[in-house]
Amino acid sequence: MKSVTKMKVVNKSLKKIDSTALSQGKHMYTGDLTPPNALYVKMLWSPHAHARIKSIDISKAEKIPGVKCVLYYGNVPRIPHCTAGQGYPEPSPYDTFIFDKKVRFVGDRVAAVAAETSDIASEALKEIEVEYELLEPVFTYDDALKEGAPVIHDEEESFVPIPIPYEPKKNIVAKVGMEAGNFEKGMSESDYTFDELFETPYAQHCPIEGYISWAQLDPYGRVFITTSTQVPFHTRRIVARALDIPVQKIRVIKPRIGGGFGCKQEMMLEDVVALVALRTGRPALWAYTRDEVFRSGRTRHPMRIRIRYGLKKDATINAIGLDIINNTGAYGGHGLTVMSCAGSKVLPLYHVNNIHFDAKSIYTNLPVGGAYRGFGATQAYFPVEVMIDVMAEKLGIDPLEFRKKNHIQTGESHPAFEALGEGKPGAPMTIGSCGLDECIDRGAAEIGWSRRTPHTAKNGRYRRGIGMSIHMQGSSVPEIDMGAASIKINDDGSFNLLVGATDLGTGSDTVLAQIAAEELETTLDKFIVYSSDTDMTPFDVGAYASSTTYLSGEAVRKTASKVREQILGVGAVMLHKKIEEVDVCDAHVVAKDGSCKVSYSEIAHYALYENNQFQIAAIESHITHKSPPPFTAHFVEVEVDMETGHVKVLKYVAAVDCGTAINPQLCEGQTDGAVLNGISYALTEEYRFDENGKMTNADFMTYNIFSMRDKPEIKSIIIPTYEETGPFGAKSVSELSINGGMPAIANAIYNATGARLKVAPFTQERVWRAIQNK
Amino acid sequence: MTTRKISFILNGELKEFDVFPNERLLSLLRRNGFKGTKYGCLEGACGTCTVILDGKAVNSCLVFAFQAQGRTIQTVESLSNKDNKLHEIQQALVNEGAVQCGYCTPGIVLSAKAMFDENPTPDEEAIKLQMDGNLCRCTGYEKIWSAIKKVSASHKKGDSK
């Protein structure tokens, strides 16, 4: 194995390959590439949370000049499918139709209009006459689960494609659980027990580019869909099913993406633009407004979590119980997997012998939950890491020492890895690398942990507090996810790198090319990277589950390794040497004795034009057998206004073990971004609803995401470790650091004020009330 | 829908455009190929569509196209040149790794440029105030922040020479 210190391309902060063009505003996103004669699609959304459509009349809308197509349940295929972009068959119910006779949340699809201009399409929507029969809506956890609750999915056709517990008549989307040791006994044999209830809110990803797709037919009648997606291959498969057309007839192209964070791990609008293109023969564009992104897009699942801990006086955690209700809203995609990860990415962080984990995903008549960076772990870390602080305080131990004593270490395993999978059992795993102790030490030094005093020592209106939390995530979904790559050489010694992996702004095209360049002993600028085009690139499941660097990166490394073998073979012939007498170095094949060398360009010329010609090229795939966790320790200092409850974050430190950082600057960027998203999720972000289930803050003025002025100083520290199973020792980095904001800030608020927050976000009102009630 | 002709100085050239009565400047620009100006929220809250209008950074989604009549507008395209050399703000963002998805970047560049055109050495408060209207969800602003501070610092250094 190559030592990280000897690497020439990997572990270097090289410039992101698309950053120059992006900074110039070049035409690289879906909306920039729309054909000039495209029709505009607009959607009529349900104004009701739960209703049956008694009648719908589209005739007036159809007659408006400029309207080319109106779609509704009466004129499209009715095939149950799942919009979530997951491995196939999905561990999610097929409970969605392109259009249905029933609407299940405010913002559900009713009918679509495609017209010459977006104004005409909007006008036409007003002419669609719909008569609804209102049904009793279900908004709360308790209402959904109570005896005789209205059934949200009462249709006969919905089903689950693999055997997972699905009980739509009880509004239950999925159940998952595990037991290890004996939880009840563990609790009763503990010196101290804890039993608390926590709640997390609905939140939206807020990529600055919202959902957008367009489709057009090629001369052979195939439909090409250009779309802002994290999952081009899954999208192709889902559209094929929903429209009942062959996969062969569809090409999905992902250009540059203006952010996703999970909300684009979903087939959202591709079915409709494809249908319009097929029906009219015209290109069709559909872009959500910001309001629509909030109301009808995907969200972070709200959870209600009961947490129980049993603790011994010697600081052993003797039992943990998590009972989770996960609100997946009106449709069930990701309903099982998100809550499964609330266990599998959280429970293994600490040694506990007696474990109880019981999670239910439920339907309500509210917006639809989906994948969101952190994927369930973010919600569960809030109670877990707050209670770790509560327990440390009970014992009078420094929270850092308590965590160090109890967290998982290199060489250790945990039953949750095997017990909790994604619709099937997970993969057993031992931890191959864990830099958590160093993360804790470095982070503590950076925040100035040693000056931390208890809340009882503080007074005055403005009080400062320091809090912290530790976290892990995973890297890919083991035994399920697959990524593939192909590489070919060109005349001048440059290479085409084609990957199915989906760069959604993270820099994965750059990272993957760095891996290829390192393996091929050449430079990053020799790579022409093309990603995510279902006609052109090999398959990849897409950008999710923190998989791209670890999974697709290893596919790239294997591919590059094969190309390297071919280059060596040609080089040896050209140099009249045996293959074992040559090596690659600085884009040359060199004789080990130093007598002669030949460049990649000369080798490519020889192979393409001169003798025994062939294309030096390879294609390789990779699946993973484990999902090695990256680890992090987060530290935060806050100032709380005791009179108003306002919380100001002063400084935030994230020390991250992501294995080998393929590109340290990009790893810092991933961490900075996840951290600020986590902070704003903790302090301001939540959906507010009126009594009819309609979101009342669906815009950036009232749904507050942080700006540059709001941000504290963020310090991201990369702690190197080496993961043997990852490309050049890499693990994942992208999701991990969104998990800290809520618990670390809650712990800091407690350290400042003595008030414990158990319901997020920590708005001024909630903090003020918590201070009054402490 | 009937259109009207208007003219304004776009990126240093006097140009004439047909505008629809209710059209926004953002739409006019994109419709005419100036697609460096991206679409974010259409409600003036994200800064993605920022252009420089008579020296001030504005959200082009909140400006009616006809309001551009007789005025001077700069889009991100004005910073591109034949030898593909980046403007110093773009270069700083690229160097710092401040371009992730890149969708907010042209708006960030123009907000910063309007600031630097008026005050080549803004302090931290001035930078925060100016950049407050440009949302980014990828970077946590940390690297954008350091890039802009570096540009300001480089101007200070230049002043003292």
Side-chain angles (χ1 to χ4, degrees), chain A residues 39 61-62 64-70 113-116 276 279-280 282:
Chain A
L39 298 173
E62 280 184 314
I64 293 174
V67 170
K68 296 296 170 188
C69 179
V70 180
V113 171
E116 295 290 352
V276 172
R279 296 264 167 105
T280 64
R282 292 272 300 274

Side-chain angles (χ1 to χ4, degrees), chain A residues 586-603:
Chain A
D586 288 336
H588 286 75
V589 170
V590 296
K592 286 179 180 167
D593 61 12
S595 59
C596 51
K597 65 178 185 177
V598 58
S599 73
Y600 281 6
S601 168
E602 291 164 320
I603 290 169

Side-chain angles (χ1 to χ4, degrees), chain A residues 16 29 32 668 706-707, chain B residues 38 100-101 132 137 141 143:
Chain A
K16 191 162 162 286
Y29 302 94
D32 302 340
E668 287 168 12
F706 270 37
S707 72
Chain B
K38 310 297 181 194
Q100 283 192 30
C101 85
D132 189 44
R137 193 64 151 172
Y141 307 99
K143 293 187 186 300

Side-chain angles (χ1 to χ4, degrees), chain A residues 41-99:
Chain A
V41 175
K42 285 277 175 190
M43 184 64 67
L44 181 66
W45 305 105
S46 170
H48 304 297
H50 199 190
R52 225 174 280 286
I53 298 173
K54 284 167 78 175
S55 68
I56 180 164
D57 183 357
I58 61 167
S59 57
K60 279 191 198 159
E62 280 184 314
K63 285 186 194 111
I64 293 174
V67 170
K68 296 296 170 188
C69 179
V70 180
L71 301 173
Y72 75 112
Y73 70 80
N75 61 12
V76 301
R78 190 170 192 281
I79 298 168
H81 60 274
C82 167
T83 58
Q86 301 177 293
Y88 177 79
E90 300 91 335
S92 294
Y94 283 19
D95 61 1
T96 306
F97 306 88
I98 301 172
F99 293 99

Side-chain angles (χ1 to χ4, degrees), chain B residues 115-124 126-127 149 151-159:
Chain B
M115 170 177 66
F116 284 121
D117 286 349
E118 207 171 285
N119 172 14
T121 59
D123 63 14
E124 293 197 353
I127 295 172
K149 281 199 299 185
V151 174
S152 180
S154 75
H155 293 163
K156 274 195 190 116
K157 239 162 126 188
D159 285 350

Side-chain angles (χ1 to χ4, degrees), chain A residues 82 84-94 159-165 173-174 237 332-338 375 421-424 477 480:
Chain A
C82 167
Q86 301 177 293
Y88 177 79
E90 300 91 335
S92 294
Y94 283 19
F159 68 102
V160 278
I162 57 172
I164 54 170
V173 177
R237 189 192 69 239
H334 301 288
L336 180 141
T337 43
V338 162
F375 207 74
E422 306 219 339
K424 56 184 190 182
V477 186
I480 291 178

